[in-house]
Amino acid sequence: MGKTTQKLGVAFLSATMLLSAAPGVANAATLNTQTAIGKYAQVHQGDLGKPLTDEQKFANGASAQEFEHGLVTYSQRTGTRTLTNAQEIQAFKNAGGVEKFGALESGSWDNTFCGQSVTTFDGKTRWMVVVDAKTQPSSSVDLNSSEGNQWKKDRTKSFACFPDNAPVVDQPTDPAQPENPVANLDWSKATFVSGQKALLLTTDTTAYVTAADANGARVTNAPVYEVEWLKVSEDARNVWTGENFRTSMFPVLGKPTAPATWAGDTSTQAFEHGTVTWTRGSERPTVELTQEGTVKLESAAQVHGYDIRAEGYTGNLTPLDDRFLIEKTSEFIFVYDSKADTAGWMDPRVFDEFVKDPDRFGTIKYSGSIGDGRGGPIYNYMITYFDEPEGGETQVTGFMTKSVTVSSDRDGNYIIDNEPELAPLTDPATVDWSKYATLMGNQQALYFQDGDSALIIAANPDGTPKMGAKAVRSDVLGFQMTRFDGRWDHNFASAWVYGSPYTDEITNAGALGLPLADGRYVEENGQKYYLQDFEGGSIKWAVPASRLIESDDSKVEITLNALGEARLAANDPQLPAVNG
């Protein structure tokens, strides 16, 4: 994979610790500038620092020397290679180091199945050594052995690393903390946490976590980590396990990757996508996500609809006072509330109202866009859901104007009307049909929502515009398409897309097919009407007096021509058309 992600809560070993870990090392190490390692170290002295050991030559043909900030190895086959992460160096040394495995073939790299690893050559065979503290550090496999070949064959199905055969190395322990009796744990009594692919086992005083497969079986040789807060903090545990749903940092943490380190009554522990700090007696642990973890949180905050990732969110959050973290994309705004540990996406118009009084609508619950998952084809309007203190729910949505619509169990339905003016319409020539358009249900066309209007172009079955097709604007479809909530909330626009809500048959609206030209407005007896010609006929729509209505099921007069009548009779909206 080769991708480096930010990691939090990782404590690096100091040069003094490295020196003390190497037996027989003289304090006054020297640099032999006549060797390949010495020449390399001269050039990279600023990166490597001072030598901690003299250069050593081993029976397998490899040479090695440790420095303040790295381990350098050399052989005729591999050339000069370095390892610079102190924890990875220690894991490599604990496994047997250069004396056992030979010279490094490269620096560490992210193996898909084992995490950060190195490969070496000992003069006879190639080895792979895991140096990742969060997986199975110091384990190794001869890549040319029968075991190594079998693992390479099986890993594409098992997605597992080779068996953990790391040698037991005495580690200093905190005398204030008892040893974890993991060998005696009965995992048959554990709870399978499918969302984390983990088993959670609670005892009378603490909790333990280990990896599980998709069926809930414990992964062979998976490490076991004690996570005390999963026993003590019921709210955090229920959110981490998914028993209580909310868009929180806890569900995206993943599994622990290292033991907790304690300073008095406060522990810090690394997880797959973040770090958790927990103080005994506190109500809830605090979480700091990695950037990758933040991206996962942003993704989880939207339950359905529009793919915000296409708009380029990055996980780079910026603070908004001392309570909120936000990221603004070209379309929407992500908001994390640290007070409630909840997150959601907001339309910019909703966000503008939200920041005036963050508790006005309740506590952020989650969000989702109108469109995919709600029955309609619109992808560019976001609903933010809030939990009301009394137990009800509020839905807040930004629409085409500067207005905001609120649907509240507590306060009823109302509109915050700030500036009811439409943005300028989009030039059809500038529409990226591959990114923003939707292939409609019964109509062989691409649809682009443009404020209260819509642009429609004839399309091929693969979702690309037909050669030579021209985009046509339809205000009636654009207006009504944003004012129905799914197939069963029926109006002219929904019938044009889906047909009858009760049968599989098309309706007069569906038989119309695609618009042939932009519509036009007329006025009769003080009423404004919209007229438009389609392939299968024409329509006349009485335009509502207010654009701020939440739904529009007003009658649209439809007059079918011969093609429309034929389509209706055949229940086939794709009978030969003339547009495109």
Side-chain angles (χ1 to χ4, degrees):
M1 304 245 303
K3 178 183 177 182
T4 301
T5 57
Q6 294 179 343
K7 302 182 181 71
L8 303 178
V10 178
F12 293 94
L13 298 175
S14 67
T16 304
M17 294 171 68
L18 281 173
L19 182 61
S20 64
V25 175
N27 289 331
T30 61
L31 185 67
N32 184 350
T33 59
Q34 302 304 308
T35 66
I37 289 179
K39 293 176 181 177
Y40 178 88
Q42 271 190 311
V43 175
H44 298 87
Q45 183 177 4
D47 297 323
L48 292 171
K50 297 178 182 179
L52 300 180
T53 68
D54 290 332
E55 183 174 333
Q56 291 179 278
K57 176 84 172 180
F58 297 96
N60 54 28
S63 300
Q65 187 169 10
E66 282 191 59
F67 295 81
E68 288 178 304
H69 308 300
L71 169 69
V72 183
T73 71
Y74 171 82
S75 73
Q76 286 188 339
R77 169 167 165 161
T78 63
T80 306
R81 298 286 185 265
T82 61
L83 194 59
T84 57
N85 182 290
Q87 282 191 324
E88 294 177 356
I89 293 171
Q90 191 61 55
F92 181 58
K93 289 169 58 179
N94 289 345
V98 180
E99 183 174 9
K100 178 178 179 180
F101 299 109
L104 297 166
E105 292 185 321
S106 67
S108 68
W109 51 283
D110 188 3
N111 180 272
T112 302
F113 311 99
C114 303
Q116 293 296 125
S117 305
V118 295
T119 55
T120 66
F121 181 69
D122 67 359
K124 297 179 180 178
T125 189
R126 296 180 66 240
W127 291 85
M128 177 172 155
V129 184
V130 180
V131 294
D132 196 325
K134 68 178 184 294
T135 57
Q136 50 184 67
S138 303
S139 58
S140 60
V141 65
D142 179 347
L143 293 172
N144 296 322
S145 66
S146 58
E147 178 189 14
N149 288 326
Q150 188 63 46
W151 171 65
K152 286 184 282 187
K153 185 182 301 183
D154 295 342
R155 64 188 178 184
T156 56
K157 295 181 179 179
S158 67
F159 298 100
C161 191
F162 51 82
D164 188 351
N165 57 5
V168 177
V169 179
D170 291 334
Q171 299 287 348
T173 59
D174 181 352
Q177 300 301 322
E179 253 184 75
N180 293 337
V182 296
N184 300 320
L185 296 175
D186 182 359
W187 290 102
S188 67
K189 297 179 180 179
T191 300
F192 175 45
V193 184
S194 59
Q196 306 290 4
K197 292 185 178 178
L199 293 175
L200 172 63
L201 180 62
T202 57
T203 68
D204 292 338
T205 58
T206 190
Y208 298 93
V209 176
T210 191
D213 62 21
N215 297 316
R218 186 184 174 195
V219 174
T220 305
N221 297 318
V224 176
Y225 296 109
E226 182 181 12
V227 187
E228 185 177 302
W229 60 265
L230 281 173
K231 168 66 178 180
V232 180
S233 178
E234 181 179 5
D235 175 66
R237 178 181 67 250
N238 289 341
V239 177
W240 183 80
T241 60
E243 184 174 339
N244 287 350
F245 171 77
R246 74 167 182 256
T247 307
S248 158
M249 287 191 176
F250 287 100
V252 302
L253 272 172
K255 296 181 287 293
T257 59
T261 58
W262 288 87
D265 284 334
T266 299
S267 70
T268 302
Q269 190 165 20
F271 282 67
E272 290 174 308
H273 302 120
T275 303
V276 178
T277 302
W278 157 248
T279 299
R280 290 177 176 139
S282 61
E283 180 180 352
R284 189 177 68 201
T286 58
V287 178
E288 188 170 0
L289 296 178
T290 63
Q291 187 171 355
E292 181 182 359
T294 304
V295 169
K296 288 180 175 291
L297 177 64
E298 290 183 311
S299 179
Q302 191 192 8
V303 176
H304 56 72
Y306 185 70
D307 181 11
I308 301 174
R309 184 183 289 271
E311 292 303 315
Y313 67 78
T314 65
N316 294 318
L317 305 184
T318 57
L320 176 69
D321 61 45
D322 59 353
R323 177 175 171 181
F324 300 103
L325 295 171
I326 68 171
E327 179 175 7
K328 294 185 177 182
T329 70
S330 62
E331 296 286 339
F332 305 113
I333 300 166
F334 173 79
V335 180
Y336 172 74
D337 183 350
S338 62
K339 178 181 176 181
D341 184 38
T342 57
W345 288 90
M346 297 183 188
D347 182 281
R349 290 151 288 205
V350 173
F351 179 77
D352 289 343
E353 292 298 320
F354 171 79
V355 295
K356 294 177 184 177
D357 180 3
D359 298 311
R360 173 180 184 176
F361 304 120
T363 302
I364 300 172
K365 188 176 182 180
Y366 57 85
S367 47
S369 60
I370 302 176
D372 185 21
R374 295 179 67 83
I378 310 308
Y379 287 78
N380 51 344
Y381 300 113
M382 182 66 64
I383 302 176
T384 307
Y385 298 82
F386 295 84
D387 276 328
E388 298 170 352
E390 300 82 2
E393 180 182 85
T394 295
Q395 301 177 22
V396 189
T397 310
F399 275 95
M400 290 65 64
T401 70
K402 291 288 186 179
S403 63
V404 170
T405 63
V406 182
S407 176
S408 170
D409 291 338
R410 176 187 58 193
D411 302 323
N413 301 332
Y414 60 94
I415 292 173
I416 304 171
D417 185 5
N418 292 326
E419 184 185 340
E421 295 295 333
L422 282 171
L425 294 174
T426 304
D427 181 352
T430 66
V431 174
D432 182 352
W433 294 100
S434 66
K435 183 176 182 182
Y436 291 108
T438 305
L439 189 64
M440 305 308 285
N442 284 340
Q443 308 298 337
Q444 197 68 46
L446 290 169
Y447 178 98
F448 176 82
Q449 188 70 36
D450 189 19
D452 266 352
S453 185
L455 290 170
I456 299 160
I457 192 168
N460 299 306
D462 63 359
T464 58
K466 283 190 175 181
M467 183 71 70
K470 177 184 176 182
V472 177
R473 184 174 296 283
S474 178
D475 289 354
V476 62
L477 288 173
F479 189 90
Q480 289 205 346
M481 201 73 77
T482 58
R483 290 164 174 83
F484 81 96
D485 185 13
R487 178 172 178 168
W488 307 111
D489 182 8
H490 197 54
N491 66 9
F492 168 74
S494 66
W496 182 75
V497 178
Y498 298 114
S500 168
Y502 311 109
T503 70
D504 291 331
E505 297 177 349
I506 67 170
T507 64
N508 286 22
L512 284 169
L514 308 189
L516 295 174
D518 295 354
R520 59 199 183 277
Y521 288 93
V522 298
E523 188 168 325
E524 299 176 4
N525 300 321
Q527 171 65 53
K528 188 177 182 180
Y529 292 93
Y530 181 79
L531 311 178
Q532 190 162 30
D533 294 325
F534 287 72
E535 296 169 333
S538 60
I539 62 96
K540 182 179 181 181
W541 169 52
V543 180
S546 172
R547 293 178 48 257
L548 298 180
I549 62 174
E550 291 188 50
S551 63
D552 179 22
D553 56 1
S554 57
K555 181 175 176 58
V556 175
E557 295 182 25
I558 300 173
T559 302
L560 295 180
N561 58 22
L563 175 60
E565 294 287 359
R567 285 177 169 177
L568 188 64
N571 192 35
D572 182 2
Q574 300 303 324
L575 281 181
V578 297
N579 183 18

